[in-house]
Amino acid sequence: VNKNNFSTISMLTQKIYNHELLNNLIGGIHYDRSYGYILSDKICDVGIELGFDPILNIEKIEMIETFYNFLLKDLNCSYCKFINIMFNNQVICIN
């Protein structure tokens, strides 16, 4: 992890630990040179792609919560391997 990634990972870690839903849901933060920052969840082993400019604001957190409520209620954990929340008001499910 280089110096720039470390500060971003530190910021993400702080947001995750300070938010009840994220603290219960997120198990790890990964960085991939091709995809950027990816969160791994504890419940379904689904990666949450944040991209190269990882923003975890209220809108993104609500998108994650809405998707997981739908996934757990109407689908199953194997429905997709990743969700991409890089774009505003859009959750992309990737198999």
Side-chain angles (χ1 to χ4, degrees):
V1 176
N2 67 34
K3 191 175 186 178
N4 293 334
N5 291 12
F6 182 76
S7 63
T8 303
I9 289 173
S10 241
M11 181 262 315
L12 286 172
T13 302
Q14 203 169 27
K15 283 189 175 196
I16 291 166
Y17 279 121
N18 291 331
H19 192 278
E20 184 178 356
L21 170 73
L22 296 178
N23 193 4
N24 291 325
L25 180 66
I26 304 301
I29 302 169
H30 308 279
Y31 180 79
D32 182 279
R33 290 182 183 179
S34 300
Y35 299 103
Y37 293 91
I38 302 169
L39 305 176
S40 59
D41 82 90
K42 299 175 187 175
I43 298 172
C44 290
D45 195 27
V46 172
I48 302 168
E49 295 181 356
L50 298 176
F52 293 99
D53 187 22
I55 298 172
L56 270 179
N57 57 22
I58 298 293
E59 292 170 352
K60 299 288 183 179
I61 294 169
E62 286 175 354
M63 288 168 49
I64 292 170
E65 182 176 17
T66 301
F67 178 80
Y68 273 92
N69 286 338
F70 175 72
L71 180 71
L72 296 174
K73 180 182 172 198
D74 296 333
L75 303 171
N76 62 42
C77 286
S78 63
Y79 184 74
C80 58
K81 294 180 183 178
F82 292 94
I83 61 169
N84 181 321
I85 61 166
M86 289 188 281
F87 308 103
N88 292 333
N89 301 319
Q90 183 177 23
V91 176
I92 301 169
C93 186
I94 304 165
N95 283 326

